Amino acid sequence: MQGAGQTPASADLKRVAIAVGVGNFMEWFDWGLYGFFAVVIGKQMFPNDTPATQILATLAIFAVGFVLRPLGGIVLGPIGDKHGRKVALSISLLLMGISTAFLGLLPTYAQIGIWAPILLLVIRCIQGFSTGGEVTGANAFLVESAPMERRGLVGSIGSATSAFALMMASLTALIFTTTLSPADLESWGWRIPFIAAAPLSFAGLYLRLKLEDTPVFNQIKRENRIDHSSLWTKIRKDYRPILLTFAVGAVQGVGYYYLAAFAVNLLIVSVGLTRPLALTISTITLAIYLCLCVVAGHLVDKYGRRSLNIVGTIGFIVLLVPAFKLISTGDVTLIIVGLSMIALCQSLASVSTVVLMVELFPAGSRSTGSATGFNLANVLISGPGPYVATWLGVVTGNPIAPAGYLIAVSVIALPIIFRFLPETKGRDLASDDVPDVNAAPRTAAPQYRH
């Protein structure tokens, strides 16, 4: 048991970090590639439409992936609770590897007609399903494998590798955009990153299959405490932590997609930068965010999850308008400063959310509960974020207006988080108890058995 001498040795923990990190990188690298190459893919799959219709159709198919995420969590979450975190993570990575390879090899509309966009839709559905189980499963594997005093730092690997994946996707798009002619990029260039990324997912799958399951799952399996109850029974039992995960996940998710997906479009469309310059700034900002995630991991371990999550949420409310004002100046240095302000708030919200999604739930229903709350927040609140932000900018003509959506989500979530979110630092992850959400305002760090 963690806290009782069964935490993995340092070498084993490194293997866990690498195996989970490689898979997590693969998941988000693909998502980033699709977003950065959306315009090119649209021309290949919807050639008879106008450019505006092409990009909208491509982004609509991108959005379908979010819709399938809850289903992936509903299916893979219980698998993780019943058969092990490793099994669920291996399935999600296998699905992502296969679908990524098919995306890179997908025939165009000119070759197979209407079947091209249909197959693209199917591939994105599989990838969305896969990601729905990957995110929360990876978080659980990392945090359950970490020493109690280093859960924040080890959990930050999930946030850091997703940032690294998007940074590399942005850099890849920049390199291909600047080195290939438009004709070569559209005919074959965009396919290379997807095809090249597929072997990485299978390498990650191999590493994951070589791992032992987490100490927590092994303990509850050894003690015959695996929860075989129905999905609905688990949701009814864990509805409070599910709702809290929804709240913190909504703030974290909107901030993440602002930083990862919306920023590039904002710089190109509203600020008027060239695409290569916007991608360069995005790459720099994501590198800064990656470093901030590691720092946030240390802070979460030292000061707790609740306080850091609240600070990050308040930061969005207070700093977002000044950040967008800096971004709207068009000055590269000020843009990076503004985006770094968002990255600072996001790192606190993201890393604390990673640990909270694990510590808020009983051991036997952790994968199911965290996947349900977090993925619902993504499909209902976070996923539409870049589109709502774009709409606000178009309707108002004000480059600062897109900040309104993330501010609104943070304002709504803050009182819920402040009133009900408990401090879970020191929680026994093998426990079947549910933290008392009503104790949050009165107790800074409730004690749990070890």
Side-chain angles (χ1 to χ4, degrees):
M1 174 194 327
Q2 290 172 299
Q6 294 186 20
T7 299
S10 177
D12 292 332
L13 189 56
K14 288 180 181 179
R15 283 194 288 270
V16 169
I18 293 172
V20 176
V22 168
N24 200 46
F25 173 92
M26 181 58 220
E27 295 275 354
W28 290 109
F29 183 67
D30 174 77
W31 279 84
L33 283 178
Y34 187 90
F36 291 129
F37 284 116
V39 174
V40 178
I41 294 173
K43 290 182 180 180
Q44 302 301 310
M45 303 304 160
F46 308 95
N48 296 325
D49 295 324
T50 64
T53 305
Q54 289 171 349
I55 185 63
L56 285 174
T58 309
L59 290 176
I61 289 181
F62 177 81
V64 170
F66 287 99
V67 177
L68 266 290
R69 283 183 63 162
L71 180 60
I74 288 172
V75 174
L76 295 176
I79 290 176
D81 285 331
K82 294 178 181 179
H83 303 289
R85 318 316 191 203
K86 183 177 77 171
V87 174
L89 279 181
S90 298
I91 293 173
S92 69
L93 190 53
L94 178 63
L95 290 174
M96 179 58 77
I98 293 173
S99 56
T100 297
F102 274 108
L103 180 55
L105 299 171
L106 185 64
T108 65
Y109 187 94
Q111 294 171 318
I112 60 173
I114 191 64
W115 283 105
I118 290 175
L119 289 174
L120 178 63
L121 177 63
V122 172
I123 289 171
R124 294 306 297 174
C125 286
I126 295 172
Q127 291 175 328
F129 180 93
S130 167
T131 304
E134 169 69 23
V135 176
T136 53
N139 292 340
F141 207 107
L142 286 169
V143 176
E144 286 187 350
S145 299
M148 184 172 61
E149 69 278 5
R150 295 173 59 196
R151 289 176 189 164
L153 180 59
V154 175
S156 71
I157 293 172
S159 299
T161 52
S162 66
F164 182 59
L166 290 172
M167 182 183 76
M168 294 306 296
S170 176
L171 183 60
T172 300
L174 174 63
I175 292 172
F176 276 73
T177 300
T178 54
T179 59
L180 294 179
S181 67
D184 286 341
L185 183 66
E186 292 176 9
S187 63
W188 56 268
W190 68 272
R191 298 179 180 275
I192 294 178
F194 290 100
I195 297 172
L200 182 61
S201 67
F202 294 112
L205 176 63
Y206 173 79
L207 292 174
R208 286 185 177 182
L209 290 174
K210 299 288 285 185
L211 291 175
E212 290 290 328
D213 220 308
T214 70
V216 171
F217 182 79
N218 286 336
Q219 179 180 338
I220 62 175
K221 182 179 180 180
R222 185 171 60 251
E223 296 174 355
N224 198 27
R225 292 193 288 118
I226 293 178
D227 189 346
H228 294 283
S229 58
S230 67
L231 172 67
W232 178 241
T233 299
K234 291 179 179 179
I235 291 176
R236 283 192 303 171
K237 181 188 68 173
D238 297 338
Y239 77 94
R240 288 179 182 271
I242 287 174
L243 291 176
L244 280 172
T245 300
F246 184 94
V248 298
V251 176
Q252 184 272 343
V254 176
Y256 182 77
Y257 292 121
Y258 263 49
L259 196 64
F262 175 66
V264 171
N265 291 327
L266 176 70
L267 294 178
I268 295 173
V269 177
S270 298
V271 182
L273 301 186
T274 63
R275 182 173 180 80
L277 181 56
L279 287 169
T280 301
I281 292 173
S282 173
T283 302
I284 294 171
T285 303
L286 288 168
I288 293 171
Y289 171 61
L290 188 158
C291 296
L292 288 172
C293 284
V294 178
V295 175
H298 284 286
L299 295 175
V300 166
D301 283 330
K302 184 174 182 179
Y303 298 106
R305 296 72 161 117
R306 168 182 159 83
S307 58
L308 270 296
N309 194 272
I310 290 174
V311 169
T313 304
I314 293 175
F316 281 133
I317 298 171
V318 175
L319 297 178
L320 214 60
V321 169
F324 269 71
K325 286 184 177 180
L326 291 173
I327 294 168
S328 66
T329 64
D331 181 90
V332 172
T333 301
L334 294 180
I335 290 172
I336 293 175
V337 172
L339 288 173
S340 296
M341 292 165 63
I342 300 174
L344 174 61
C345 302
Q346 178 59 25
S347 66
L348 298 176
S350 182
V351 176
S352 59
T353 297
V354 165
V355 185
L356 283 165
M357 283 195 297
V358 179
E359 293 180 338
L360 279 172
F361 291 91
S365 56
R366 179 167 293 136
S367 293
T368 302
S370 60
T372 300
F374 187 74
N375 285 318
L376 283 176
N378 263 269
V379 70
L380 297 177
I381 308 296
S382 309
Y387 308 99
V388 175
T390 302
W391 178 81
L392 287 172
V394 170
V395 170
T396 64
N398 186 340
I400 301 173
Y405 183 67
L406 179 50
I407 292 174
V409 172
S410 300
V411 167
I412 294 171
L414 181 60
I416 299 171
I417 296 170
F418 189 83
R419 173 63 182 87
F420 296 108
L421 184 66
E423 177 53 68
T424 59
K425 182 180 179 181
R427 171 166 166 76
D428 175 15
L429 294 184
S431 170
D432 287 325
D433 297 330
V434 179
D436 183 6
V437 298
N438 293 311
R442 300 188 295 272
T443 308
Q447 298 298 312
Y448 297 95
R449 65 177 179 86
H450 294 272

